[in-house]
């Protein structure tokens, strides 16, 4: 599980940004659930590792965070995309497409 | 933006911690709930949730790491650690802090002085645009302007937005309500305060029509005078007051502490000066300052005034030939080069003291770090990088330096207060207040950090290189012994060198000062009293010198008849002082062009400018100057056709080629010959003076020059001017009582002539020498501190070495070494360091001596006596410092020593 997380760390940002772009404001647990479900359980992120990434992206200005009360009367920290984050998402998606295409080509040729 | 958040996060650190806990806890709780929903028990659900979450502590740390500036928090950690370490070794802490307090304190004190005298801008509007302007004869002296020349410059130049002529003098202040007093004042052009950019706090500034002939006399007074004489009364404006017997009304009061330029208490428009008292372009008494017009720079302004000077020289060759006009920024002009050099030398000296203190503390740190090797090794083993360890040690050093620096500030306060009190007699501008402003504090803060790094770096580098393995294995005794010893030795040598240089500097100054004290003054100061008279300009008119001559003669006659007065004479200045005439410090000693044997200098050649002293008949008798050849002045000297002069030996050597001066003639422009009977009113410009006598060299305002200046003495009656005149009386008793007697006699002749500033000649000499004593004192203090620090340094290093080698000593003693040999063993290293340090120190002293040469008086910077003396002194102190611990080593009990760890 840990190994998978490492490999994913570079793309963790991408996943988080995309999730928030589609789903709006979510707290950390919800983001983890979405990623797991959307990937058909293929990507089971070590859930804790979300948080350093979330805080890092918040400091970088890509996300905005605030405290909300959930339906279960619990306090949770909710994250949302900022315009800057949206631009970062576009850049990261393009990069990911390029890298994936490159990998695919190599796999085919080699 | 993210930067600020991080800083903000540091402050809110605890709260953020709690919030993060809440956030992560919430996540796990939700996961737990989900697990329970899929059927797990409470316990299993929770455990699964936590497993899925990952290592919570690590996650927390990873997240927090991004919240704060990590290095700031670890520096705080370092500080707390350092404080703990210091508390654990109080001996080291006290020694190090004391050394730093002395070093930084001395630097803070000197920097405050330098800041006040050299660095701080003048308290005026755009002070760098204010310039001082003067007339310059070929000998480079700085002469004030004459009234006419000033007006010509003002009207004929465009480089200045304001140009002001000034005359400082003491002024009698009298009104019907209180006792008259004499205060320093200044006649100045109406736009003086406009030039400076300072406005009265009460009333109004001068207007241009105040500064015209025939205008109603007005005066602006200082805040201090307003308080002391008028009690701060709000109705002071419009009050009438008699200034030198002339009535004026007060129109304004200047702000608190304003006393331009030195300690003036009131300002009067220049035109209020009795106009007919200042005829003649040869009368140079107007100091000039100007403000450069916007956009005008120094060089073009200088060129313009130069052109004005040439024009004046052409139009008025008799008075203005060879007189150039020059200017400099005001701040530069009012700080003599000597003052600047002296203060810079202080800065250098005190810098040396700081280096010695740093070397001392570095040594202490080195000794201590060897003992801390184990602790460092453990930290390195735990994963601290080398740089982390170095940084922590540096934080420790800076902490020591800062605590020392804070204490040093207290020392500096005291030191500056002392200096301010001791230098009260030294002539200086009123704005030079020795206060602590933010610049000083910033300087001290920077110094703390820099010194901390300087003395901490070497030990830190050394210690961080410890071989962890060997240290941990050997139970803490670092093998860094040899290298540490070499460092320590090098530092001691450095201390010795610096101390020797400082001691030599102090020694040179001391010799210089002794030379000045022992210098043959050329006259006999015992029992001589000096005082000043003031012939009011309103009563005694320049154009009628016979009035002055008359009262001078009658006074001389009366004083001659006083029993108890062995001799008395009027003079333009007493010996050693520059000039007494006028309170205008800008006025140099009376310097005039002198033509020997009627020779006019060739075109382009410079006439000789010589100091002249006007003296009454009994002057040489009064002051105790022997007549070497010829005779003293007689009653008839100075009468028409009988112009006479007396010269000193230096003059004869310089300007008469060493020939016997008697019989040669001198032409001194500007003198007059007054008939003996003033009623006949014949006054003629003086013809040639015959030299009738030669006297030994006596200093006139050049106490600090290597060679005395040539001086020409002329009879008082040939140079009689109203204003301030000096009176010398050889009589026993207190100066006050002699002055009272003179006042009695004078009152019979003219009650409007005050007598003031009575002192003994010894007091005058003490004043003149005063500042040299001050500087000598300061140098000695610095050298003394350095000597003390070096001694302490040597002592502690030797003591530590003894402690280190206790076991070795035990072994040697057990093997039969005698006490004498043990002592020698311990001393040897110290002596080697001395042997290296002293010659280098002497070399350094010679270099520094060359730099100080201009400050020394009749002392060569290679003076052997001084050098040998201070070397011996330092050597003795150093050896004594080493001897005590060495002797203690010899007294060790070998059985105890052997077992010492």
């Amino acid at each position: 599980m840990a190994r998978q997380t490492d490999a994913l760390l570079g793309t963790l940002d991408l996943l988080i940004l995309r999730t928030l772009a589609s789903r709006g404001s979510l707290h950390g647990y919800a983001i983890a659930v979405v990623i797991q479900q959307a990937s058909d359980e293929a990507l089971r992120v070590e859930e804790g590792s979300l948080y350093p990434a979330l805080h890092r992206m918040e400091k970088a200005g890509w996300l905005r965070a605030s405290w909300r009360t959930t339906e279960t009367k619990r306090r949770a920290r909710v994250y949302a995309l900022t315009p800057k984050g949206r631009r970062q998402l576009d850049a990261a998606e393009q990069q990911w497409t390029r890298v994936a295409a490159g990998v695919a080509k190599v796999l085919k040729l080699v | 933006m993210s930067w600020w958040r991080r800083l903000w996060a540091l402050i809110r650190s605890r709260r953020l911690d709690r919030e993060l806990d809440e956030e992560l806890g919430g996540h796990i709780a939700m996961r737990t709930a989900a697990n329970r929903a899929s059927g797990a028990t409470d316990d299993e659900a929770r455990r699964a949730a936590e497993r899925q979450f990952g290592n919570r502590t690590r996650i927390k740390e990873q997240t927090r790491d991004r919240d704060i500036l990590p290095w700031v928090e670890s520096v705080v950690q370092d500080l707390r650690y350092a404080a703990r370490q210091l508390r654990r070794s109080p001996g080291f802490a006290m020694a190090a802090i004391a050394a730093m307090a002395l070093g930084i304190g001395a630097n803070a004190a000197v920097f405050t002085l330098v800041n006040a005298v050299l660095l701080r801008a003048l308290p005026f509007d755009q002070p760098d645009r204010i310039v001082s302007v003067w007339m310059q004869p070929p000998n480079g002296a700085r002469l004030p302007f004459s009234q006419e020349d000033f007006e010509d410059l003002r009207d004929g130049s465009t480089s200045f937005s304001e140009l002001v002529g000034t005359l400082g003098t003491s002024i009698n202040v009298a009104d019907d309500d209180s006792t008259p007093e004499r205060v320093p004042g200044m006649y100045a052009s109406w736009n003086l305060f406009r030039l400076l950019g300072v406005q009265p706090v009460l009333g109004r500034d001068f207007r241009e029509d105040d500064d015209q002939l025939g205008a109603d006399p007005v005066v602006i007074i200082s805040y201090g005078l307003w308080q002391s004489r008028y009690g701060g009364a709000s109705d002071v404006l419009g009050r009438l007051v008699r200034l030198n017997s002339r009535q004026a009304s007060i129109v304004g009061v200047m702000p608190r502490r304003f006393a331009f330029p030195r300690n003036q208490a009131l300002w009067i428009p220049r035109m209020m000066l009795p106009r007919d008292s200042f005829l003649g372009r040869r009368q140079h008494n107007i100091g000039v300052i100007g403000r450069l017009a916007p956009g005008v720079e120094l060089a073009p302004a200088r060129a313009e005034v130069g052109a004005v000077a040439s024009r004046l020289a052409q139009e008025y060759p008799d008075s203005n030939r060879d007189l150039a006009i020059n200017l400099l920024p005001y701040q530069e002009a009012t700080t003599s080069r000597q003052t600047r050099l002296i203060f810079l030398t202080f800065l250098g000296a005190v810098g040396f003291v700081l280096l010695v203190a740093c070397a001392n503390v570095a040594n202490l740190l080195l000794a201590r770090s060897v003992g801390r090797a184990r602790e460092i090794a453990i930290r390195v083993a735990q994963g601290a990088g080398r740089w982390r360890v170095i940084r922590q040690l540096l934080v420790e050093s800076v902490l020591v330096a800062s605590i020392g620096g804070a204490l040093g500030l207290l020392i500096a306060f005291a030191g500056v207060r002392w200096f301010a009190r001791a230098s009260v007699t030294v002539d200086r501008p009123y704005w030079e207040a020795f206060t602590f402003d933010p610049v000083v504090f910033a300087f001290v803060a920077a110094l703390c950090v820099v010194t901390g790094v300087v003395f901490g770096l070497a030990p830190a580098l050394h210690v961080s290189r410890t071989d962890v393995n060997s240290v941990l294995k050997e139970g803490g005794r670092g093998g860094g012994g040899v290298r540490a010893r070499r460092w320590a030795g090098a530092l001691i040598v450095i201390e010795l060198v610096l101390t020797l240089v400082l001691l030599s500097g102090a020694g040179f100054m001391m010799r210089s000062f002794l030379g000045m004290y022992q210098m043959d003054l050329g006259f006999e100061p015992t029992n001589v009293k000096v005082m000043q008279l003031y012939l009011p300009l309103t009563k005694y008119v320049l154009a009628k010198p016979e009035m002055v001559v008359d009262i001078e003669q009658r006074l001389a006659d009366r004083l001659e008849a006083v029993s108890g007065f062995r001799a008395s004479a009027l003079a333009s200045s007493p010996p050693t002082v520059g000039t007494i005439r006028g309170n205008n410090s800008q006025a140099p000693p009376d310097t005039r062009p002198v033509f020997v044997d009627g020779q006019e200098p060739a075109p382009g050649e410079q006439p000789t400018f010589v100091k002249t002293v006007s003296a009454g008949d009994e002057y040489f008798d009064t002051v105790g100057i022997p007549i070497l050849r010829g005779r003293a002045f007689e009653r008839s000297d100075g009468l028409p056709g009988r112009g006479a002069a007396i010269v000193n030996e230096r003059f004869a050597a310089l300007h008469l080629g060493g020939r016997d001066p008697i019989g040669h003639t001198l032409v001194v422009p500007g003198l007059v010959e007054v008939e003996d009977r003033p009623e006949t009113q014949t006054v003629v410009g003086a013809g040639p003076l015959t030299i009738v006598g030669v006297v030994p060299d006596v200093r006139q305002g050049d106490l600090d020059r290597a060679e005395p200046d040539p001086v020409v003495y002329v009879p008082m009656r040939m140079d009689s001017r109203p204003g301030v005149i000096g009176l010398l009386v050889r009589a026993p008793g207190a100066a006050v009582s002699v002055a009272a007697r003179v006042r009695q006699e004078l009152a019979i002749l003219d009650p409007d002539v005050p007598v003031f500033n009575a002192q003994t000649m010894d007091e005058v000499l003490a004043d003149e020498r005063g500042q040299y004593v001050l500087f000598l004192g300061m140098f000695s203090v610095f050298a003394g501190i350095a000597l003390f620090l070096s001694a302490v340094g040597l002592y502690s290093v030797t003591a530590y070495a003894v402690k280190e080698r206790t076991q070795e000593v035990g072994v040697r003693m057990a093997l039969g070494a005698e006490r004498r040999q043990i002592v020698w063993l311990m001393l040897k290293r110290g002596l080697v360091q001395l042997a290296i340090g002293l010659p280098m120190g002497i070399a350094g002293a010679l270099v520094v001596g060359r730099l100080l040469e201009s400050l020394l008086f009749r002392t060569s910077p290679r003076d052997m006596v001084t050098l040998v003396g201070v070397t011996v002194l330092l050597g003795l102190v150093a050896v004594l410092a080493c001897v005590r611990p060495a002797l203690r080593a010899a007294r060790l009990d070998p059985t105890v020593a052997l077992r010492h760890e």
Side-chain angles (χ1 to χ4, degrees), chain B residues 20-195:
Chain B
L20 187 59
D21 264 339
E22 198 179 343
E23 190 177 358
L24 300 183
H27 180 115
I28 294 181
M30 284 190 264
R31 175 53 78 186
T32 310
N35 287 349
R36 255 207 312 250
S38 351
T41 60
D42 281 350
D43 242 1
E44 282 172 3
R46 154 133 292 163
R47 251 183 277 133
E50 283 177 1
R51 226 182 316 128
Q52 271 165 303
F53 191 79
N55 183 337
R56 192 165 160 180
T57 319
R58 184 166 55 83
I59 302 281
K60 235 183 109 176
E61 245 172 61
Q62 274 179 332
T63 316
R64 291 295 279 136
D65 243 2
R66 306 204 154 85
D67 273 355
I68 0 164
L69 290 165
W71 65 265
V72 173
E73 186 172 273
S74 61
V75 165
V76 171
Q77 207 177 36
D78 285 344
L79 268 174
R80 265 191 241 139
Y81 185 73
R84 249 203 322 262
Q85 288 299 95
L86 280 182
R87 239 173 308 168
R88 234 187 279 156
S89 21
F92 160 78
M94 281 200 305
I97 291 175
M100 278 294 109
L102 282 174
I104 297 186
N107 271 276
V110 170
F111 185 79
T112 310
L113 302 178
V114 168
N115 187 32
V117 174
L118 299 178
L119 294 178
R120 247 204 291 239
L122 305 180
F124 310 129
D125 208 15
Q126 281 192 304
D128 49 328
R129 306 285 296 167
I130 304 181
V131 291
S132 185
V133 192
W134 66 89
M135 304 202 95
Q136 196 167 297
N139 72 351
R142 288 193 203 168
L143 291 179
F145 281 69
S146 64
Q147 296 261 34
E148 290 84 359
D149 287 334
F150 163 68
E151 284 167 8
D152 283 340
L153 178 65
R154 184 192 56 192
D155 302 332
S157 66
T158 55
S159 307
F160 305 102
S161 61
E162 315 278 354
L163 199 68
V164 168
T166 64
L167 178 78
T169 180
S170 50
I171 296 187
N172 241 13
V173 178
D175 54 38
D176 299 322
D177 307 322
S178 12
T179 49
E181 57 183 308
R182 254 195 117 62
V183 298
M186 179 174 252
Y187 289 90
S189 309
W190 67 277
N191 50 348
L192 171 66
F193 301 134
R194 249 171 59 145
L195 184 150

Side-chain angles (χ1 to χ4, degrees), chain B residues 647-693:
Chain B
V647 301
N648 67 353
E649 288 182 299
R650 185 101 173 109
F651 182 90
L654 275 186
H655 301 298
L656 286 165
R659 294 167 280 166
D660 183 11
I662 313 249
H664 287 266
T665 57
L666 297 175
V667 171
V668 182
L671 299 179
V672 293
E673 291 166 352
V674 180
E675 266 288 349
D676 210 1
R677 296 175 298 278
E679 317 89 63
T680 58
Q681 302 223 335
T682 30
V683 175
V684 293
L689 313 168
T690 316
I691 301 182
V692 298

Side-chain angles (χ1 to χ4, degrees), chain B residues 331-485:
Chain B
Q331 186 156 20
E332 220 178 297
T334 44
T335 320
S336 71
R337 187 178 305 162
Q338 244 218 356
T339 310
R340 219 171 291 150
L341 183 59
I342 287 180
F343 277 102
L344 288 179
T345 312
F346 280 162
L347 218 49
V350 97
F352 275 19
V353 173
L354 186 60
L355 283 176
V356 172
C358 285
N360 244 6
V361 181
N363 254 334
L364 288 171
L365 274 177
L366 261 181
R368 193 155 158 269
S369 67
V370 171
R372 289 175 76 184
R374 180 144 205 247
E375 166 212 332
I376 306 282
I378 293 179
R379 297 189 72 196
V380 172
Q382 277 185 328
R386 183 163 173 233
W387 284 110
R388 185 76 172 70
V389 171
I390 292 178
R391 199 188 73 202
Q392 195 269 314
L393 292 171
L394 282 179
V395 166
E396 230 176 271
S397 313
V398 172
L399 181 62
V400 167
S402 303
I403 301 178
L407 286 175
L409 267 178
L410 294 177
I411 296 181
F413 279 138
V416 169
R417 264 246 308 258
W418 169 83
F419 184 87
R421 224 171 322 139
S423 66
V424 132
T425 52
V426 173
D427 194 23
R428 64 165 189 264
Y430 75 92
W431 60 78
E432 269 178 19
F434 297 136
T435 52
F436 285 77
D437 61 17
V439 177
V440 174
F441 291 122
F443 174 76
V444 171
L447 212 55
C448 288
V449 171
V450 168
T451 46
V453 169
V454 161
F455 68 68
L457 197 58
L461 282 173
H462 162 79
V463 133
S464 63
R465 234 186 265 137
T466 43
D467 182 3
V468 175
N469 273 325
S470 59
V471 169
L472 286 176
K473 263 189 259 171
E474 285 180 36
R477 293 282 252 101
V482 172
R483 218 172 337 121
R485 238 180 292 138

Side-chain angles (χ1 to χ4, degrees), chain A residues 27-29 32-33 36 44-52 55-56 58-60 67 74-77 79, chain B residues 2 5-6 19-20 22-24 26-27 29-31 34 49 52-55 58-59 62-63 66-67:
Chain A
H27 53 64
Y29 176 68
V33 166
Q36 275 169 26
R44 295 198 99 225
V45 183
E46 186 188 50
E47 293 174 0
S49 63
L50 271 180
Y51 287 93
H55 280 246
R56 177 170 36 84
E58 183 196 352
K59 295 300 172 282
W67 285 96
R74 185 177 274 118
R75 271 215 332 161
R77 205 147 185 259
Y79 297 85
Chain B
S2 54
R5 291 190 104 213
R6 291 187 180 204
E19 285 189 351
L20 187 59
E22 198 179 343
E23 190 177 358
L24 300 183
H27 180 115
M30 284 190 264
R31 175 53 78 186
Q52 271 165 303
F53 191 79
N55 183 337
R58 184 166 55 83
I59 302 281
Q62 274 179 332
T63 316
R66 306 204 154 85
D67 273 355

